[in-house]
Amino acid sequence: MKRMKKNRRKRNEVVTAYAFLLPNLVGLTVFVFFPMIYAFYVSLHDWNALSPKVFIGFDNYIEMASDKRWWASVGRTFLFTLIYVPALYCLSLFFAVILNNLKQKYQSIARTMFLLPFAITSVISAVIWMFLYDPRNGVLNQFLSSLGFDKLEFLGSTNQALVSIVAVILWINIGYNMIIFMASIKEIPKDYYEAAKIDGASAWRAFRSITFPLLRGTSTFILIVTMIASFTVFDQIMVMTSGGPASSTEVSVLYIYKQAFEFLNMGYASALAVILFLIIFILSLAQLRLYTKKG
Amino acid sequence: MKLKKSTLTIFAIVCGLLMIAPIYFLVVGAFKTPDTVFDLSLHLSNFTFDNIKQVFSETNIVRAIVNSLIVSVTVTVVAMLIHAMAGYALARLNFPGKTFTFGWIISTLMVPFSVIMIPLYMVVQNLGMANSYLGLIVPMIFNAYGIFLFRQFYLEFPKELEEAAYVEGLSIAGTFFRLVLPLSKPIIVPLTIGFFTANWNNYLWPMIINQKEELNVVQVALANIVGGGYETEWSVMLAAALISAIPTFILFFIVQRHLVEGVKTTGIK
Amino acid sequence: MKLWKKLMTIGFVLTLIVMAGCSSDSDGESGDTVTLTFSDFHSEADQEFFEGLVDEYNKVQDEVKIEYTTTGNLTDYSNTKLPVAFANNEGPDIFMTSPGDFQKYADAGVLADLSPYFKDGVKEDFLPSALEAVTVDDKILALPFELELLGLYYNKTMFEEANLEVPKTWDELLAAAKELTTDEVAGIALPTDKGAYLNFIWYPFLWQNGGSVLNEDGTKSTFNTPEVAEALDIWGSFFQEGAAPSKLQIDPTDIGNLGGGTAAMQIVGTWAIPMLENEYADGDFGLAPIPIPEGGKPATAAGGWKFAVNANSEHVKEAAEFVMWAVGDDKERPLKYVTETKFAYAPRQSVVEEGEEFYDKGLRKVFTEEIYDSAIPEPKFGAEVVDAVGEALQNVMFGGMSGKEAAKIADEKIQSILDSKK
């Protein structure tokens, strides 16, 4: 009797699971997965979007192997990710912990201030920062020279442009990731901390032995999602430098966009996108594995 | 201890002020005459409403805001519901093919939008959704980000609550809708902010898929005012950006008040 | 709980609204009227002009109805909206193309041959060079309606204060730019980002020095020459010596750099004149031909958009007839556009003559008398060649390369692009 009930329950569970997933699976298949497969299909063709496709097998992939500009853009994407992801992770977690310790009133004010940049469209935030970064009259340089430092070129320099763009994208996204961390910190029962306090643990110790480990799930989520986002970053770079100066900010998606829509090499661009997808996929998988293994 | 808290408060507020400092430029610039827009000082003599007026007179911005509200709110509400369902199934329920389904869903995050733009247009066109609200709304609902975050949340959701519900004879679906979903506010709030903002600020997709002026969303309408030609009227552009950001600001103020307490601290009692 | 219920209610109501909105959606095809779509990227005054044009055409005849839509950003228009639409066979019947993307549309065969639709004598009325720029295999694939020339705009007051003459040679230009550079003012404002516009502003320097990108029939790269290297070097020296800013606050197409007082000189096109007259009327600005190298010949680039008809349209004839009616028939309509709506030259002799008195007004006189004769239409290279030239410029501007090195690298690149297209 009990077993029958359990079996029915199990069947019920499977049916409910599929029913819950169905709308998403249908939608994602039609609006994301099918276009992805189509992009792969296009990658086996020579296609300029305007005239019929010509099947050329894996020629696009062969061509890619010797495309120095592509591999340089992949290198820049990795560099961008290596700066952006740790910075975003640390800063948003840092401020989440700080804000969490404030009184409700101040916490709410500070949270709103951190979140406001997220409300502004990426194009407009890029424009605002172009003004702040201006080599001659920009606010940042005025500030630097008032402190007696040399002026910086920011977006006009091949060394500083990428980092300057990272700073803008951090500015936009810190607040949002911070509130996701905060939502998660709120789930940690307060008595854990009280117990730690009684044991005489310092704040840093409490963070290391309670907060940080309990946030591991959220951390993995943020790290994976941020990594994917940084591999597909586009808008702000397009507006601020369109890949310049002298290609120093030409990341992979920018190059794919150029191949696709400026040169109209749709087939080749799709092949590049397929490879970029594989790179991101492998990295995400590795991160997920790392997470489940430890757990 | 008391002193430490006030130091933290001051530090957080100062950092917050630095965060919003660049927005000062946007707000001040929107009320300046075109030739003084780069002057960051607050001279009242340069103060003008002309930029705002121009935005309102050159396009049917009210209609565009209504369109954007329809699109963003619908996408957000529908997405919250079905993503929560999917996230719950992936976190809590056992079924064959679970790991594969999860991996497959996450993989859809990894494609740059510019690559699938052409086939997506094709799909939407063939479904007869081009030039309609459906074309603006439906493709934007499906996004693995929300599913992923809901799953994460439900993995850490206290099991005891659901077990109590089962004992009382509720079905799995019933438990989810009556008990779990209402307690998911801590994650629905940030996701609402994220989805609404992303859709409110979406420009590329509505620009491509819609040709009808009466269905223009805010970002497209504003781009039509300030774009084109060889001159950019910065003052008008900043005014347009400010107008477009205000509804999002308002949403932030409304919903983030709900971002206060966690499930474990309120739910169990 | 309450929040959730509220959201659900809102969502439900909105879904109903959406459904209602969709059901009233019907196609406006009625009777024998042919409906044509016309899509471009104009805004403000230009948009009004084209809207007016379409309205008028819809009134004066009843066989064709034209629907006009505009995308308010020309990069999005030509790099996103049109390719996506064409890739799905949804391209507009009538659209606009620039020298920067003319070649790719021509190669793909989506540009209809307009030559059969010229009225008597109109073809001869067009400037030969302007039509040549849109002709492939004796087919006229687009119809130009504006010629925008480049000139050197400068701030007279700043020149007087520094006691400087208006530069006539490259060396004088560089010297003046350096002299006029201060903490607040840039000597000369030039485009900094890679793109068709950067090349467009540089081409006069190239041509003045006798250089070219490709040979006559477009089969071979001619980029690896001393002439090209010198033209790259002078351009690079503006940036390397700090006379041109590495990044501009305002778009390089926008005369606001000069007008707002942040630059002493700026190379811009004819379109800047109305803006200078209206927005910056207080300032004292001058205009001169772009300086030439020692022993070089004057040259300027002539750009501008062109009307095109979709070759895959079901109604090529009707679309072509509209285009001809708009800018290839009477003189009033095209003249109104290039004189009242904006300032440019018409590519038709009779229209320029009709507007004679207008072309002598203010700074326009400099264009008409000193610059017009040296105009060469912007070349219609493929986008990859444009990119390779842009790369060479970026390399001398920011990459610390000499003109010679940059020219050599670009030459190889261009040749390989040409070879792969065969």
Side-chain angles (χ1 to χ4, degrees):
Chain A
M1 183 70 188
K2 217 170 188 186
R3 175 173 286 166
M4 251 175 77
K5 207 173 176 186
K6 213 166 191 183
N7 271 340
R8 203 182 316 139
R9 194 167 167 81
K10 193 142 206 179
R11 233 191 8 254
N12 188 336
E13 192 172 335
V14 174
V15 172
T16 313
Y18 286 136
F20 273 21
L21 281 163
L22 191 69
N24 288 285
L25 294 185
V26 172
L28 284 171
T29 307
V30 174
F31 296 106
V32 189
F33 192 65
F34 171 73
M36 275 163 71
I37 297 298
Y38 188 84
F40 176 70
Y41 168 76
V42 168
S43 79
L44 304 175
H45 293 78
D46 183 10
W47 188 39
N48 65 7
L50 308 170
S51 31
K53 303 177 193 69
V54 181
F55 183 78
I56 53 164
F58 284 89
D59 282 7
N60 283 324
Y61 293 88
I62 296 165
E63 190 187 336
M64 179 193 316
S66 58
D67 185 347
K68 284 192 207 119
R69 194 166 158 192
W70 160 248
W71 295 111
S73 80
V74 173
R76 254 172 244 123
T77 310
F78 269 93
L79 181 64
F80 181 93
T81 306
L82 282 177
I83 309 172
Y84 174 68
V85 176
L88 182 88
Y89 177 81
C90 295
L91 287 170
S92 44
L93 179 57
F94 174 74
F95 284 113
V97 173
I98 299 266
L99 262 60
N100 196 51
N101 278 309
L102 302 187
K103 276 208 191 104
Q104 201 54 54
K105 193 173 75 186
Y106 297 117
Q107 185 184 126
S108 162
I109 295 170
R111 204 167 50 202
T112 310
M113 290 199 286
F114 275 81
L115 203 51
L116 279 186
F118 189 69
I120 297 163
T121 63
S122 55
V123 171
I124 294 296
S125 15
V127 168
I128 293 176
W129 278 89
M130 280 168 75
F131 285 98
L132 300 179
Y133 276 148
D134 186 70
R136 281 165 308 134
N137 305 317
V139 176
L140 286 175
N141 266 331
Q142 285 177 19
F143 180 69
L144 283 177
S145 38
S146 75
L147 292 179
F149 289 104
D150 279 344
K151 287 187 175 181
L152 295 175
E153 290 285 315
F154 296 112
L155 298 171
S157 143
T158 49
N159 308 323
Q160 298 159 21
L162 196 71
V163 181
S164 306
I165 290 171
V166 169
V168 176
I169 304 179
L170 281 176
W171 177 71
I172 296 172
N173 289 318
I174 283 178
Y176 186 66
N177 287 285
M178 183 190 79
I179 63 165
I180 290 180
F181 269 129
M182 288 178 82
S184 204
I185 291 176
K186 294 251 156 72
E187 299 299 329
I188 301 173
K190 291 223 165 52
D191 22 325
Y192 285 20
Y193 292 102
E194 268 145 35
K197 215 192 243 168
I198 292 163
D199 289 348
S202 68
W204 168 242
R205 234 206 110 113
F207 171 78
R208 259 190 42 204
S209 53
I210 303 170
T211 320
F212 190 68
L214 287 175
L215 287 180
R216 223 188 49 217
T218 311
S219 293
T220 313
F221 167 79
I222 286 192
L223 284 173
I224 291 181
V225 168
T226 309
M227 188 203 69
I228 295 175
S230 88
F231 264 87
T232 51
V233 63
F234 177 72
D235 285 7
Q236 291 89 354
I237 301 190
M238 190 67 193
V239 176
M240 285 196 277
T241 64
S242 27
S247 300
S248 59
T249 56
E250 193 176 84
V251 293
S252 298
V253 178
L254 211 67
Y255 184 60
I256 293 175
Y257 172 84
K258 273 191 188 169
Q259 283 290 351
F261 292 101
E262 266 176 44
F263 306 164
L264 291 187
N265 293 328
M266 289 293 171
Y268 188 57
S270 302
L272 298 179
V274 169
I275 295 302
L276 183 69
F277 171 82
L278 287 178
I279 296 175
I280 305 176
F281 188 77
I282 291 166
L283 288 174
S284 312
L285 213 65
Q287 267 178 300
L288 268 180
R289 274 279 153 79
L290 214 66
Y291 165 64
T292 38
K293 206 182 244 170
K294 271 190 187 166
Chain B
M1 207 61 200
K2 193 106 192 165
L3 181 94
K4 216 173 150 199
K5 200 152 214 167
S6 61
T7 326
L8 269 188
T9 311
I10 292 168
F11 174 73
I13 299 287
V14 168
C15 289
L17 286 173
L18 283 177
M19 288 295 281
I20 57 168
I23 302 176
Y24 168 84
F25 180 84
L26 171 71
V27 177
V28 172
F31 296 100
K32 291 200 155 192
T33 52
D35 51 324
T36 57
V37 68
F38 302 120
D39 172 12
L40 289 177
S41 58
L42 273 170
H43 291 304
L44 279 179
S45 58
N46 295 327
F47 187 85
T48 173
F49 276 111
D50 287 356
N51 307 317
I52 307 277
K53 275 188 207 146
Q54 197 177 333
V55 172
F56 276 90
S57 68
E58 277 187 20
T59 187
N60 194 346
I61 190 81
V62 178
R63 174 74 204 236
I65 287 177
V66 171
N67 287 337
S68 276
L69 275 176
I70 292 176
V71 172
S72 312
V73 174
T74 316
V75 171
T76 308
V77 172
V78 177
M80 285 310 111
L81 181 65
I82 66 170
H83 292 179
M85 284 158 57
Y88 185 74
L90 288 170
R92 272 288 196 270
L93 306 179
N94 285 314
F95 58 94
K98 185 164 148 178
T99 320
F100 174 80
T101 311
F102 176 59
W104 181 83
I105 289 176
I106 297 306
S107 75
T108 59
L109 266 181
M110 302 173 191
V111 190
F113 183 69
S114 53
V115 177
I116 59 163
M117 216 152 59
I118 287 176
L120 186 59
Y121 182 100
M122 189 167 87
V123 169
V124 173
Q125 181 79 30
N126 284 331
L127 291 174
M129 295 192 214
N131 299 318
S132 76
Y133 281 118
L134 283 179
L136 295 169
I137 292 169
V138 180
M140 295 298 117
I141 293 174
F142 301 101
N143 185 317
Y145 182 85
I147 302 176
F148 194 2
L149 189 52
F150 269 116
R151 171 185 170 272
Q152 198 55 53
F153 177 77
Y154 290 133
L155 278 179
E156 286 156 25
F157 196 82
K159 271 206 175 85
E160 302 85 341
L161 289 173
E162 290 148 277
E163 268 149 23
Y166 296 147
V167 170
E168 279 170 34
L170 270 174
S171 68
I172 298 173
T175 312
F176 174 73
F177 285 111
R178 294 217 200 139
L179 185 95
V180 178
L181 196 54
L183 283 174
S184 307
K185 219 161 72 176
I187 210 64
I188 291 178
V189 171
L191 268 178
T192 302
I193 291 176
F195 266 80
F196 182 87
T197 312
N199 282 285
W200 183 265
N201 289 342
N202 198 357
Y203 163 70
L204 209 53
W205 177 248
M207 178 200 73
I208 297 166
I209 200 64
N210 173 46
Q211 320 281 344
K212 280 192 184 163
E213 208 178 335
E214 67 266 25
L215 291 186
N216 269 356
V217 296
V218 169
Q219 304 303 338
V220 172
L222 295 178
N224 288 350
I225 302 175
V226 292
Y230 294 124
E231 296 113 16
T232 313
E233 292 173 80
W234 288 110
S235 48
V236 182
M237 184 163 166
L238 294 175
L242 185 63
I243 292 171
S244 83
I246 285 174
T248 329
F249 287 163
I250 294 174
L251 177 89
F252 284 7
F253 285 113
I254 298 174
V255 300
Q256 74 135 349
R257 276 190 297 124
H258 297 270
L259 190 83
V260 182
E261 283 300 324
V263 185
K264 289 173 196 157
T265 35
T266 55
I268 295 177
K269 282 162 204 167
Chain C
M1 183 82 187
K2 267 185 192 155
L3 176 77
W4 180 249
K5 270 189 181 159
K6 258 186 246 168
L7 286 177
M8 288 286 276
T9 323
I10 295 171
F12 184 67
V13 171
L14 283 175
T15 317
L16 286 181
I17 295 174
V18 171
M19 297 302 176
C22 294
S23 55
S24 66
D25 183 33
S26 64
D27 255 326
E29 205 94 7
S30 63
D32 314 324
T33 334
V34 171
T35 306
L36 297 178
T37 51
F38 168 22
S39 134
D40 79 359
F41 57 89
H42 285 107
S43 64
E44 296 192 54
D46 302 25
Q47 179 187 346
E48 270 166 42
F49 174 82
F50 287 103
E51 265 165 6
L53 210 59
V54 167
D55 286 345
E56 191 185 338
Y57 193 69
N58 287 340
K59 275 198 199 106
V60 296
Q61 47 78 48
D62 46 16
E63 277 111 56
V64 177
K65 186 173 173 293
I66 300 192
E67 281 171 3
Y68 172 76
T69 54
T70 176
T71 306
N73 179 310
L74 58 91
T75 324
D76 295 335
Y77 172 74
S78 43
N79 283 349
T80 309
K81 187 130 181 169
L82 283 184
V84 173
F86 273 109
N88 287 292
N89 288 322
E90 292 278 329
D93 300 299
I94 303 155
F95 59 103
M96 287 193 187
T97 165
S98 71
D101 41 42
F102 174 82
Q103 196 63 42
K104 59 189 178 192
Y105 289 108
D107 288 346
V110 295
L111 300 176
D113 181 12
L114 300 177
S115 20
Y117 307 102
F118 279 95
K119 292 201 170 166
D120 284 345
V122 172
K123 205 188 277 182
E124 293 69 30
D125 191 23
F126 273 88
L127 296 176
S129 67
L131 280 192
E132 215 173 279
V134 289
T135 304
V136 176
D137 299 334
D138 295 327
K139 290 178 186 145
I140 300 172
L141 298 181
L143 199 61
F145 56 90
E146 54 181 10
L147 283 182
E148 297 180 311
L149 314 181
L150 298 175
L152 176 72
Y153 292 77
Y154 59 93
N155 185 317
K156 275 190 182 165
T157 324
M158 290 183 187
F159 268 78
E160 274 160 28
E161 276 166 12
N163 229 339
L164 278 169
E165 290 288 314
V166 179
K168 293 214 158 44
T169 67
W170 285 2
D171 294 341
E172 288 171 20
L173 179 64
L174 180 60
K178 283 203 281 194
E179 178 89 25
L180 291 165
T181 301
T182 66
D183 274 354
E184 280 82 39
V185 181
I188 183 165
L190 297 171
T192 58
D193 292 354
K194 194 155 113 182
Y197 187 74
L198 172 64
N199 299 10
F200 178 55
I201 302 289
W202 176 70
Y203 287 138
F205 291 82
L206 174 73
W207 296 330
Q208 290 167 351
N209 210 29
S212 62
V213 178
L214 304 181
N215 65 351
E216 283 282 315
D217 58 2
T219 52
K220 270 194 112 58
S221 164
T222 54
F223 210 68
N224 192 8
T225 62
E227 288 82 14
V228 175
E230 282 164 26
L232 286 170
D233 275 327
I234 177 73
W235 187 272
S237 50
F238 290 117
F239 293 88
Q240 283 160 13
E241 298 182 28
S246 59
K247 199 77 198 165
L248 294 174
Q249 276 190 324
I250 308 175
D251 239 36
T253 57
D254 191 329
I255 193 66
N257 287 291
L258 181 79
T262 51
M265 294 183 277
Q266 189 178 359
I267 296 177
V268 209
T270 39
W271 62 82
I273 291 184
M275 181 90 170
L276 272 185
E277 286 172 343
N278 300 329
E279 304 278 336
Y280 304 105
D282 305 341
D284 194 3
F285 302 105
L287 172 65
I290 299 174
I292 56 171
E294 299 286 348
K297 59 173 196 319
T300 195
W305 287 79
K306 290 128 179 93
F307 262 116
V309 169
N310 183 353
N312 302 327
S313 159
E314 284 167 34
H315 307 285
V316 170
K317 180 171 162 283
E318 287 82 357
E321 278 167 0
F322 165 73
V323 170
M324 287 299 166
W325 173 86
V327 294
D329 189 0
D330 84 337
K331 298 169 206 160
E332 291 306 318
R333 282 184 289 269
L335 184 67
K336 184 180 172 211
Y337 184 63
V338 291
T339 56
E340 282 173 37
T341 312
K342 63 191 282 183
F343 171 63
Y345 288 85
R348 284 169 59 193
Q349 268 118 2
S350 66
V351 176
V352 176
E353 278 160 27
E354 184 86 9
E356 203 165 1
E357 63 187 296
F358 177 82
Y359 284 111
D360 278 345
K361 264 194 348 201
L363 293 177
R364 293 171 183 81
K365 199 176 169 130
V366 181
F367 270 119
T368 309
E369 290 180 357
E370 298 175 46
I371 299 175
Y372 185 78
D373 289 335
S374 64
I376 300 170
E378 184 183 355
K380 47 175 195 277
F381 303 137
E384 283 164 277
V385 174
V386 170
D387 188 77
V389 173
E391 191 65 40
L393 283 162
Q394 290 277 312
N395 282 337
V396 292
M397 289 156 72
F398 305 109
M401 267 190 211
S402 72
K404 205 173 160 205
E405 283 172 88
K408 188 165 174 289
I409 296 171
D411 179 68
E412 283 161 14
K413 179 91 213 205
I414 294 168
Q415 193 57 50
S416 78
I417 295 164
L418 295 177
D419 293 343
S420 70
K421 291 275 142 137
K422 266 174 210 162

